[in-house]
Amino acid sequence: MKQIVTYTLALVLALPLVATEASAQQFSKRKQYNSVGLTINAMNYFGDITPKPSVPSLRFGATRLNVGASFTHRFTPRISARAALAYGTITGDDSKAADPNDPDAKYRYNRNMSFRNNLAELSVVGIFDLIPNRNTYVKRPDLVPYVFGGIAGYTGNPQGNRNGSWVDLQPLKTEGVSYDKAGIAIPFGGGVRYKVNKSFDVGLEVGFRKTFNDYLDDVSTVYVDQSTLSSDAAKYFGGGNALSNTGEFANFNAPGSQRGKSDEDDWYVTTGITVNYILAPRVKSPKFR
C-alpha cells in the first residue's frame, strides 16, 4: 500500500511540470480565465481510532461536514492552479470502531479513546484535465475528469470528551511528548467536472491529505507512567478510560504497553460536490487611431 501511495504522489506532484505545454500550445491570454467555487464535503480520517489503524480504514459513522471556498486560474488547455480554504471536523471512537473479538483490536477497544479535531486548511494544487479545452471557457467540454496534487497547511485542536465536556488534549501531553497542532499535508486526488451552462460547473471530487503527524487523534505510541502526567485530565485520557479492567486486560495500560501504532501517520480525506462560477475574462477592444 505504501508503494502505491508513493507512486501516486510522485505522479500527481509531477503534473505541474507539464506546464511547459503552455508554450507548445500557445494558449492565449484571451482563453485563460478564473473561477470561484464553493464546496460541501463529507470528511473522514485514517488513523489510530479507526477499525484498522491504517490507510484506507475508516468508519462511515464518523463522517463529518467539511466546507470550503476556492479560486482557480486556468493557464493552459489542461492545466489550472487552485487555492482553497476549507474547514471541517474529523472524529473517532474506539467503542464504535474497535471489534473486541478481533485480536488485533483488543487493545484499542480497552483503550476506549474518542476524539474530535476541527481542522482549518489552506491548500494550493495543480489540476491536470484529462480532456483539454483549447477554446474559450464558453466552448469548454461538457464533462472533464481530472487529477490534482499540491501542498497544504493545516491547523487543528484534538479534543476528548469527559463527562460531556470537550477537553483540549495537546496541552495534556498524554504520551509524555509535545506535538504541533499545525502542520504540512500533501493533498492529491481526482474528480469529474460537468458544465451546467456557460458560467457554472458542478464537480464531484475525492481528495486525500497525507500528513506528517501521528497526533491528529492524540494517539501514537505507548502508555506512560501515570505518575508522570501532570493532571487528573491527563491521567484520564492518557491512561485509557477502560471498558474492562479485569482478566487478560488488567494491565492493558501499563507503562510501555501499546497505545497507538506509531509507524503510520494520520490522514484525512474529503469527498464532495463543488460548484464553480466562471469569471468571464474581459476582452479588450482594439484601438483605432
Side-chain angles (χ1 to χ4, degrees):
M1 182 66 189
K2 288 185 177 179
Q3 288 184 333
I4 295 175
V5 172
T6 301
Y7 294 149
T8 303
L9 284 173
L11 174 63
V12 174
L13 293 178
L15 291 176
L17 299 178
V18 190
T20 52
E21 177 190 8
S23 57
Q25 299 294 341
Q26 296 182 341
F27 198 63
S28 69
K29 291 276 188 181
R30 186 176 63 87
K31 294 180 180 179
Q32 296 179 23
Y33 58 87
N34 303 317
S35 63
V36 292
L38 295 175
T39 304
I40 298 178
N41 293 305
M43 191 172 188
N44 294 89
Y45 108 109
F46 308 138
D48 291 283
I49 308 180
T50 49
K52 298 288 184 181
S54 60
V55 179
S57 176
L58 59 83
R59 185 175 69 87
F60 289 103
T63 302
R64 295 295 182 269
L65 180 67
N66 173 283
V67 295
S70 63
F71 177 85
T72 304
H73 178 75
R74 174 166 294 278
F75 288 99
T76 78
R78 291 185 185 270
I79 296 174
S80 303
R82 181 178 71 199
L85 282 169
Y87 182 83
T89 301
I90 58 174
T91 184
D93 189 334
D94 278 333
S95 67
K96 298 175 182 177
D99 181 359
N101 298 315
D102 181 352
D104 294 330
K106 285 182 179 179
Y107 80 94
R108 290 186 285 116
Y109 183 78
N110 282 268
R111 179 179 63 194
N112 195 26
M113 182 68 183
S114 63
F115 86 103
R116 73 177 183 186
N117 194 339
N118 298 318
L119 295 173
E121 177 194 87
L122 172 63
S123 64
V124 178
V125 302
I127 301 172
F128 184 83
D129 289 350
L130 302 185
I131 299 175
N133 172 26
R134 306 188 190 285
N135 298 301
T136 63
Y137 76 97
V138 177
K139 296 182 179 180
R140 66 191 185 279
D142 289 335
L143 192 68
V144 179
Y146 62 90
V147 294
F148 67 88
I151 191 167
Y154 68 88
T155 183
N157 188 27
Q159 297 179 312
N161 192 292
R162 186 181 186 188
N163 300 324
S165 298
W166 289 99
V167 179
D168 293 347
L169 297 176
Q170 188 254 11
L172 301 181
K173 299 182 181 179
T174 55
E175 293 186 357
V177 298
S178 298
Y179 60 85
D180 292 328
K181 295 186 290 185
I184 299 296
I186 304 298
F188 67 97
V192 61
R193 193 169 56 246
Y194 175 71
K195 176 183 175 183
V196 177
N197 56 34
K198 181 180 71 172
S199 300
F200 282 95
D201 286 338
V202 173
L204 176 64
E205 181 175 292
V206 179
F208 296 86
R209 270 64 171 181
K210 165 69 174 76
T211 77
F212 303 92
N213 179 4
D214 195 24
Y215 282 100
L216 291 185
D217 47 21
D218 194 63
V219 177
S220 179
T221 57
V222 298
Y223 290 101
V224 298
D225 188 334
Q226 297 289 286
S227 65
T228 65
L229 298 177
S230 60
S231 66
D232 288 341
K235 293 175 182 178
Y236 177 86
F237 291 108
N241 179 22
L243 294 177
S244 171
N245 197 31
T246 59
E248 63 181 303
F249 301 128
N251 296 313
F252 79 94
N253 59 353
S257 297
Q258 185 177 12
R259 186 171 185 259
K261 189 173 182 181
S262 59
D263 61 343
E264 294 280 356
D265 289 327
D266 295 334
W267 295 55
Y268 56 98
V269 58
T270 56
T271 305
I273 296 174
T274 299
V275 177
N276 285 304
Y277 175 73
I278 295 175
L279 304 173
R282 293 182 180 180
V283 179
K284 293 183 179 181
S285 301
K287 294 182 180 180
F288 298 97
R289 294 179 179 272

